[in-house]
């Protein structure tokens, strides 16, 4: 099993980065792993910590319509260049916490996605250099108030509510290029989204390069790489699970 890097909070409220062991003990690091954090002698047992979102980025840069089938289901063409937008860091929540259904919306959708975690400052990078700036991979749900997205014409409100970026539960360093992303709703055994991440229109190295020519990416920043076909509505009480082979599962309930 790949090493799983986590961010946790102990009972006293102190936050640590660490390595999740098979026993579910966490070996604490002395700094974030992308800042060369090294193992310490401190080990947290499972009943002594809470798993948080695996990083605390300065920004979340997301990509729209990066799977051709998803662009088609939205009734649009694939963009000729990556379509990027921002989600605020305050939208991040951990796995196993609640997505809040905002009263302003009547239609809130799930969007399962692969997320990239940046390890080094990236500015005006080529794709080759950009690949070296990707420290690891995690799972995201780009929750979207679809009715507000259509109403506003731009996406800040629809994508920016608190709790609209479930992220985690941990980061892995490597990922198979053909890993499958699947999204499940409630107890249905059949995925509502299912695609290989190699079906992206613009690959991760290209995305990071493109974004870095617009804004500098900092260590710990997150890039959401787009969602495949099959997006749909969630209702209060639903439970949504996004799985990516080689990473794990991100699971959240929807609350009113």
């Amino acid at each position: 099993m790949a090493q799983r890097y986590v961010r946790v909070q102990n009972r006293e409220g102190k936050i640590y980065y660490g390595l999740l062991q098979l026993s579910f003990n966490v070996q604490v690091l002395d700094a974030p792993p992308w800042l060369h954090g090294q193992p310490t002698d401190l080990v947290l047992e499972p009943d002594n910590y809470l798993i948080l979102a695996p990083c605390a980025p300065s920004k979340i840069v997301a990509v729209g319509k990066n799977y051709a089938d998803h662009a088609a289901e939205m009734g649009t063409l694939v963009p000729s260049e990556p379509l990027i937008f921002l989600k605020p860091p305050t939208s991040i929540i951990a796995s196993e916490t609640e997505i809040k259904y905002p009263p302003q919306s009547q239609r809130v959708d799930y969007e399962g996605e692969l997320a990239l975690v940046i390890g080094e400052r990236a500015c005006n990078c080529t794709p080759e250099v950009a690949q070296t700036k990707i420290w690891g991979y995690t799972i995201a749900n780009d929750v979207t108030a679809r009715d507000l997205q259509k109403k506003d014409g731009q996406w800040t409100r629809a994508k920016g509510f608190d709790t609209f970026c479930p992220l985690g539960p941990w980061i892995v360093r490597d990922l198979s290029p053909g890993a499958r992303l699947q999204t499940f709703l409630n107890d249905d055994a059949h995925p509502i989204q299912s695609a290989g991440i190699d079906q992206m229109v613009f690959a991760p190295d290209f995305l990071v390069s493109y974004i870095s020519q617009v804004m500098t990416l900092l260590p710990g920043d997150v890039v959401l790489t787009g969602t495949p076909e099959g997006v749909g509505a969630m209702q209060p009480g639903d439970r949504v699970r996004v799985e990516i082979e080689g990473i794990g599962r991100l699971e959240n309930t929807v609350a009113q």
Side-chain angles (χ1 to χ4, degrees), residues 5 33-34 117-119 131-137 171-173:
Y5 293 86
W34 44 90
V117 179
I118 301 301
Q131 181 62 48
T132 70
K133 306 295 187 179
I134 301 172
W135 190 87
Y137 305 87
I171 301 167
V172 300
R173 295 298 314 273

Side-chain angles (χ1 to χ4, degrees), residues 43-250:
V43 175
L44 301 177
E45 297 182 349
D47 58 351
N48 286 330
Y49 68 82
L50 176 70
I51 288 188
L52 306 176
C55 55
S58 76
K59 55 187 169 293
I60 306 157
V61 187
V63 180
K65 302 175 184 175
N66 197 29
Y67 288 79
D69 289 345
H70 172 59
E73 76 176 343
M74 301 304 289
T76 62
L77 298 174
V78 173
S80 59
E81 297 179 296
L83 175 61
I84 62 173
F85 59 94
L86 294 171
K87 290 174 79 83
T90 46
S91 65
I92 291 177
I93 56 171
S95 189
E96 301 294 344
T97 56
E98 291 183 336
I99 298 165
K100 302 293 186 184
Y101 203 112
Q104 297 95 324
S105 177
Q106 303 302 310
R107 169 70 187 261
V108 176
D109 286 9
Y110 56 82
E111 292 191 8
E113 307 199 8
L114 171 68
L116 316 175
V117 179
I118 301 301
E120 296 179 4
R121 185 178 185 274
C123 181
N124 290 317
C125 295
T126 64
E128 293 75 19
V129 172
Q131 181 62 48
T132 70
K133 306 295 187 179
I134 301 172
W135 190 87
Y137 305 87
T138 188
I139 306 171
N141 186 348
D142 177 19
V143 180
T144 304
R146 193 70 69 199
D147 53 348
L148 302 183
Q149 183 183 30
K150 293 176 180 178
K151 178 181 178 181
D152 292 353
Q154 56 81 34
W155 301 359
T156 302
R157 182 165 65 135
K159 301 278 192 176
F161 284 98
D162 289 356
T163 77
F164 268 30
C165 190
L167 192 69
W170 42 68
I171 301 167
V172 300
R173 295 298 314 273
D174 299 299
L175 192 64
S176 168
R180 183 153 290 272
L181 183 158
Q182 295 186 306
T183 305
F184 298 84
L185 198 60
N186 297 320
D187 296 323
D188 194 338
H190 301 286
I192 43 185
Q193 291 184 289
S194 183
I197 60 173
D198 55 2
Q199 293 175 243
M200 290 181 195
V201 176
F202 301 107
D205 58 349
F206 186 90
L207 293 176
V208 172
S209 171
Y210 182 87
I211 294 164
S212 79
Q213 294 169 49
V214 179
M215 65 189 80
T216 299
L217 293 167
L218 301 176
D221 280 353
V222 170
V223 175
L224 307 188
T225 59
T227 196
E229 178 186 22
V231 299
M234 303 181 294
Q235 303 298 330
D238 282 345
R239 190 166 182 86
V240 61
R241 183 175 84 249
V242 185
E243 298 184 357
I244 299 180
E245 290 176 324
I247 303 179
R249 60 172 60 181
L250 171 71

